[in-house]
Amino acid sequence: MAWEFRKLGPGENVAVETQRDPFAAPKWAPPVWHMPEGLVLIVNAVRFLVRALVFLVRNIVPVSIAAGLGWLGYRFGWTVPVLVLALVAVVLGTWAAVDRPSFAGWVARPVRSWWRLVFIYRRDWQPVLVTAGLTKVHKGREYLPSLVRVRCGPTSDRVLVRMLKGQAPDAWEAVAVNLAHGFGASLVRVRNGDRPGRIWLEFVRRDALAEPIPALPVPNASDVDLSGLPVGRAEDGSPWRLRLLGTHVLIAGATGAGKGSVIWSTIRALLPLLLGGLVEVWAVDPKRMELSFGRALFERYGRYSDDPKGGMVDLLEAAAEDMNARAERFAGHTRSFTPSREFPFRVIVVDELAFLTAYCPERDLRKRAESALAVLTTQGRSVGYCVIGAQQDARKEVNNLRNLFPDRIALRLDEDDQVDMVLGDGARDRGALADQISSVPEVGAGVGFVRLETSPDPVRVRAAFVSDADIRAMVAYGLPDLDIEGAA
Ligand SMILES: Nc1ncnc2c1ncn2[C@@H]1O[C@H](COP(=O)(O)OP(=O)(O)OP(=O)(O)O)[C@@H](O)[C@H]1O
Ligand SMILES: [Mg+2]
């Protein structure tokens, strides 16, 4: 192959491959244009100015402060800005000491967010996104998703991102681990943004739920809200509220996952109404372990050893029967349920649900239990019945009643595919890593994921730990001759 340069015009050369075959069709190459040097300089100068302007606008507050201090120093000598800075430090220090929450909201958090935006997220944005494959190159130009805003919380940062047009959150979920390592976080979750095309990335820096939460205080009767009983804490520090009114709750978790603490925290939050007769707990305890301890608190209690004649199943059938009678009575009168002494709100707690529906050796009892549970869960919601079921195994064959529980809690699970079985499709991709919760009780027991009504994104929560002593105190609470203050 041979090459030669041909002159097209002044300053324009083209390299053209010379053909060996003189009769071959000619090949054309585009001419090379040479930009005049002056123009190159002007374009670069304009680019520099635009970048400087963008920097100034983006960092207007710190730049103005630095410029103001510089001007003071230049005009009145350098002791003046030093004094101003000292005065500001004293004012801020006093503010922080007097009213910490407002100081955090107005000063500490915005400053921290700005700092992390500039020195962590913006600095590493391009290299991390390129390595993670979230940028696109089209016709030689690189398109980079943009960083809109950073909000720092006590244990995590939320970063608002404008995705590339045509990109979907799945692309970000698929590389969440790359992003976490890239920005030095322990975990990243992808959340829906404030409008289509934008997402929030939640960078978890520290586990806010690593420490056990002691049992929550027993509320006053007037504060008990059956549509949101406080049973623990969510990752953002807000209370985890569990709804019982108008729903049923399934708690799934491997052995030692802390199902007992969710059940007991719920009973604890109900305690004043329980004692007042407005709420009843009927407990089914196949293992005779979890609930026998607080037996005195339950209106009815069924356990396996009562069972030659089907004690536990009798209890469920009695509940289903009473529920039917209630439905009959309420029909045409009222559609919303308010608990009263005549018609208390009834919570049917079933520990180890799978025992009744799958493992129980007597087939007949299994069938009866299953149909009583199906009746309670399908029809009980509007007449003041709520079933709370706990079970270790989330597999479909073990519990085909699972879909009858509108609210589900995934504590630590053994396998990753169980997460979506409990919380619904896509929950694990949206960050419900229930299979990765620590099996060390102090760190991971009672930790789990829930889906709240307001959002499809799973929320990480931890139930408060109700110890044996707390349960003893709760039982004592109900006995009139005991000192209630002391028992609490
Ligand atoms: N919320 C919690 N915070 C801290 N520790 C907890 C919490 N819940 C439970 N634990 C600890 O974990 C242990 C196991 O909890 P629990 O008995 O509730 O598990 P489980 O899910 O009911 O297991 P199983 O299915 O075997 O009955 C408890 O003995 C307790 O020490
Ligand atoms: Mg248990």
Side-chain angles (χ1 to χ4, degrees):
M1 196 90 39
W3 295 85
E4 75 180 28
F5 283 102
R6 296 209 183 130
K7 201 130 180 107
L8 291 183
E12 293 164 14
N13 289 316
V14 216
V16 176
E17 187 190 322
T18 50
Q19 307 286 329
R20 285 205 185 122
D21 176 4
F23 298 103
K27 271 192 180 173
W28 299 102
V32 177
W33 297 97
H34 287 282
M35 194 68 80
E37 273 150 25
L39 199 58
V40 174
L41 281 178
I42 291 173
V43 168
N44 278 326
V46 170
R47 269 192 194 155
F48 174 78
L49 281 177
V50 169
R51 279 196 196 141
L53 203 65
V54 169
F55 177 83
L56 286 180
V57 171
R58 271 186 176 169
N59 300 289
I60 189 74
V61 176
V63 167
S64 315
I65 292 173
L69 288 173
W71 179 79
L72 280 178
Y74 175 74
R75 185 87 173 67
F76 304 107
W78 290 104
T79 41
V80 179
V82 172
L83 280 177
V84 169
L85 278 179
L87 190 68
V88 169
V90 169
V91 170
L92 290 181
T94 318
W95 183 0
V98 173
D99 185 0
R100 195 143 197 113
S102 79
F103 175 78
W106 286 95
V107 182
R109 226 170 287 149
V111 168
R112 196 164 184 207
S113 301
W114 174 82
W115 183 266
R116 294 183 67 82
L117 166 72
V118 174
F119 292 101
I120 294 182
Y121 297 106
R122 200 180 283 154
R123 198 189 65 185
D124 294 335
W125 193 244
Q126 194 202 23
V128 173
L129 264 64
V130 169
T131 314
L134 289 166
T135 57
K136 284 278 169 290
V137 177
H138 181 64
K139 292 193 174 165
R141 199 174 151 197
E142 182 183 68
Y143 291 84
L144 184 69
S146 37
L147 182 57
V148 182
R149 194 179 308 140
V150 174
R151 292 229 174 103
C152 282
T155 56
S156 63
D157 298 340
R158 282 162 64 82
V159 175
L160 187 61
V161 177
R162 192 180 315 114
M163 295 184 286
L164 294 180
K165 284 212 185 306
Q167 214 169 32
D170 312 22
W172 296 72
E173 278 159 11
V175 294
V177 179
N178 308 43
L179 298 175
H181 284 283
F183 292 106
S186 57
L187 194 70
V188 174
R189 295 196 200 103
V190 181
R191 303 288 191 218
N192 283 343
D194 49 353
R195 62 179 89 141
R198 310 222 276 194
I199 48 170
W200 283 105
L201 296 178
E202 206 173 277
F203 288 87
V204 178
R205 298 193 309 266
R206 180 167 64 79
D207 184 359
L209 303 174
E211 302 284 321
I213 304 163
L216 302 179
V218 176
N220 292 323
S222 56
D223 295 337
V224 180
D225 176 8
L226 294 175
S227 14
L229 297 167
V231 292
R233 204 184 312 130
E235 198 168 42
D236 63 358
S238 62
W240 168 24
R241 291 183 179 277
L242 186 65
R243 183 185 185 85
L244 295 192
L245 196 64
T247 189
H248 307 291
V249 183
L250 179 70
I251 308 161
T255 179
K259 299 181 287 296
S261 63
V262 181
I263 294 177
W264 277 111
S265 290
T266 311
I267 296 173
R268 190 173 170 88
L270 287 172
L271 192 62
L273 297 194
L274 215 61
L275 303 179
L278 292 177
V279 172
E280 278 179 9
V281 174
W282 291 19
V284 176
D285 190 13
K287 286 195 295 198
R288 285 156 285 167
M289 288 292 292
E290 193 63 68
L291 304 169
S292 58
F293 211 68
R295 196 172 168 163
L297 293 170
F298 307 135
E299 188 68 23
R300 290 191 61 167
Y301 176 79
R303 58 191 179 131
Y304 188 57
S305 55
D306 300 340
D307 217 30
K309 295 198 203 71
M312 299 186 296
V313 179
D314 282 349
L315 186 155
L316 292 177
E317 284 180 336
E321 217 167 275
D322 178 82
M323 187 219 73
N324 273 327
R326 259 192 203 184
E328 193 69 31
R329 170 134 187 201
F330 289 175
H333 294 290
T334 173
R335 279 175 30 159
S336 65
F337 177 81
T338 318
S340 61
R341 273 171 211 271
E342 190 186 0
F343 296 108
F345 183 71
R346 235 167 235 157
V347 185
I348 316 293
V349 178
V350 186
D351 192 34
E352 204 45 71
L353 199 61
F355 178 82
L356 289 177
T357 59
Y359 303 142
C360 172
E362 294 88 357
R363 188 158 176 273
D364 175 47
L365 287 183
R366 263 193 339 249
K367 286 267 162 267
R368 282 172 54 203
E370 212 165 87
S371 63
L373 280 167
V375 169
L376 284 170
T377 46
T378 49
Q379 299 163 37
R381 293 202 287 163
S382 51
V383 290
Y385 270 81
C386 166
V387 181
I388 302 182
Q391 71 173 38
Q392 291 181 353
D393 198 325
R395 279 174 301 146
K396 215 184 195 99
E397 57 270 28
V398 173
N399 182 10
N400 46 26
L401 300 172
R402 201 183 40 207
N403 290 332
L404 301 175
F405 290 85
D407 285 322
R408 287 169 264 168
I409 303 166
L411 302 180
R412 178 171 53 79
L413 295 170
D414 288 332
E415 293 144 15
D416 54 4
D417 55 356
Q418 289 189 9
V419 179
D420 286 7
M421 287 185 196
V422 177
L423 293 178
D425 279 348
R428 194 175 184 281
D429 285 342
R430 283 176 172 271
L433 303 176
D435 52 303
Q436 290 181 12
I437 294 172
S438 165
S439 56
V440 178
E442 289 73 34
V443 184
V447 176
F449 291 88
V450 287
R451 269 185 156 158
L452 303 179
E453 287 157 13
T454 46
S455 151
D457 293 321
V459 176
R460 191 158 173 273
V461 290
R462 184 161 199 178
F465 178 50
V466 182
S467 66
D468 292 358
D470 293 321
I471 298 176
R472 231 174 275 129
M474 282 160 64
V475 173
Y477 216 96
L479 302 176
D481 50 327
L482 270 172
D483 172 14
I484 287 185
E485 293 297 309

